[in-house]
């Protein structure tokens, strides 16, 4: 074993390659930032383009179980997760490194036992998503990937069927979003649109409830949805746009005195529970 914590190559099957230096050019894809993994055009491509990075056993396993195609793997040489064999069999290049290599490559203070680059999967169009959903979360202008990841986890955990995002919202497959969502993004199909109002027009038969702190909005506790429904969440700074509010039924979560509102993720959890 060398000073990176990696045992010698001959202890592993041929598909696994032990790397001893963080600047090994074969690890370059793992050092890419979000824009390097998937360009703006890639993220708007419903057919699937670019890559995304999954961190940790659970997220990697859920991505792979959902049918995402692995591209490359970096795993802990001292504790190779069982899923690594399956990823290699699916065509991924597998690299093993010690803690020093993993930390330098991924930038994580405490490295995960496995990180995997996957090809971004195809996703449904807004119309296709609406056709398969009864309960839909719609997001406008939520550009923080942590908030988007939390929204995904809340929606999936409370049994909602899908997520529709406008083009200004953060990517559910972004590294931080996936980490916060614990891989639940793979059980909650999502669609993106550059025309949110147009997409809302395609939600035939949906009751559209827009969260807002406005005093004249309907108290969420008084809402009794009777069929398919969508809850709309806006950014924490500006909220939903006026155009969206005018096209929907504004509802509010009653707050204590002198408190304006909850953050986007917490408001989503309350609304999904109340309207679910």
């Amino acid at each position: 074993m060398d000073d990176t914590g990696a045992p010698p190559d001959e202890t592993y099957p041929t598909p696994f390659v032990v790397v001893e230096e963080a600047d090994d050019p074969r690890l370059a894809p793992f050092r890419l930032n979000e824009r390097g993994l998937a360009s703006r055009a890639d993220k708007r491509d419903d057919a699937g383009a670019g890559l995304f990075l999954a961190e940790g056993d659970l997220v990697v396993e859920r991505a792979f179980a959902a049918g995402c195609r692995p591209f490359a793997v970096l795993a802990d040489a001292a504790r190779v997760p069982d899923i690594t064999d399956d990823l290699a069999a699916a065509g991924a290049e597998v690299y093993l490194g010690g803690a020093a290599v993993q930390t330098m490559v991924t930038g994580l203070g405490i490295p995960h036992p496995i990180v995997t680059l996957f090809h971004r999967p195809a996703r449904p169009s807004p119309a296709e998503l609406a056709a398969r959903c009864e309960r839909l979360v719609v997001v406008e202008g939520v550009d923080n990937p942590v908030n988007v990841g939390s929204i995904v986890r809340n929606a999936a955990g409370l049994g909602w069927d899908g997520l529709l995002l406008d083009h200004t919202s953060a990517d559910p497959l972004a590294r931080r979003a996936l980490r916060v969502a614990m891989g639940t993004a793979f059980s909650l199909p999502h669609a993106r649109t550059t025309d949110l109002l147009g997409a809302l027009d395609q939600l035939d038969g949906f009751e559209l409830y827009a969260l807002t702190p406005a005093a004249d909005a309907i108290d969420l506790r008084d809402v009794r949805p009777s069929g398919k429904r969508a809850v709309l969440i806006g950014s924490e700074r500006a909220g939903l746009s006026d155009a969206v509010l005018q096209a929907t039924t504004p509802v509010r979560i009653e707050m204590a005195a002198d408190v304006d509102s909850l953050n986007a993720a917490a408001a989503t959890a309350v609304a999904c529970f109340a309207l679910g």
Side-chain angles (χ1 to χ4, degrees):
M1 183 172 291
D2 60 30
D3 59 6
T4 68
D9 281 339
E10 59 266 23
T11 60
Y12 291 96
T14 302
F16 295 179
V17 178
V18 174
V19 291
E20 299 181 359
E21 300 294 337
D23 61 357
D24 189 306
R26 293 171 295 186
L27 299 183
F30 294 96
R31 291 189 287 269
L32 293 173
N33 60 21
E34 294 289 350
R35 184 67 60 85
L37 291 173
S39 68
R40 186 173 299 174
D42 290 338
K43 293 175 183 177
R44 293 183 180 180
D45 187 349
D46 287 344
L51 301 170
F52 71 88
L53 181 68
E55 300 171 353
D57 307 50
L58 179 62
V59 179
V60 170
E61 288 169 5
R62 286 179 170 173
F64 189 59
C68 296
R69 185 163 55 95
F71 172 73
V73 179
L74 175 59
D76 184 353
R79 183 172 73 85
V80 182
D82 293 340
I83 188 68
T84 308
D85 290 319
D86 296 328
L87 296 168
E93 297 286 344
V94 176
Y95 302 102
L96 305 180
V101 169
Q102 291 177 281
T103 298
M104 290 296 293
V105 171
T106 64
L108 298 172
I110 301 177
H112 290 289
I114 187 170
V115 296
T116 301
L117 289 165
F118 287 94
H119 296 276
R120 293 174 68 89
R123 64 178 177 231
S125 68
E128 291 168 337
L129 181 68
R132 68 173 72 163
C133 291
E134 297 287 328
R135 294 176 293 181
L136 188 63
V137 175
V138 181
V139 174
E140 181 188 36
V142 179
D143 58 4
N144 186 326
V146 172
N147 276 338
V148 167
S150 297
I151 288 170
V152 167
R153 189 172 180 179
N154 293 337
L158 292 168
W160 285 58
D161 306 317
L163 175 70
L164 173 62
L165 307 100
D166 78 326
H167 69 285
T168 69
S169 291
D171 177 19
L173 298 184
R175 183 174 174 176
R176 292 172 67 201
L178 279 179
R179 191 161 65 233
V180 171
M182 296 294 289
T184 50
F186 307 113
S187 63
L188 186 77
H190 75 274
R192 295 187 74 94
T193 179
T194 57
D195 179 14
L196 185 58
L197 284 176
L200 294 179
D201 285 341
Q202 297 178 9
L203 298 183
D204 294 331
F206 276 79
E207 301 169 12
L208 306 180
Y209 298 107
L211 287 180
T212 173
D216 58 351
I218 301 170
D219 191 320
L220 183 62
R221 294 170 294 187
D222 296 330
V223 177
R224 298 292 182 269
S226 58
K228 295 192 292 185
R229 70 215 64 165
V231 60
L232 288 84
I233 316 294
S235 84
E236 294 183 8
R237 295 181 297 276
L240 291 164
S241 64
D242 290 340
V244 166
L245 287 171
Q246 291 170 9
T248 58
T249 300
V251 297
R252 75 179 191 280
I253 298 170
E254 189 68 21
M255 304 298 298
D258 300 324
V259 178
D260 177 66
S261 63
L262 301 173
N263 69 26
T268 302
V270 171
C272 286
F273 181 79
L275 298 174

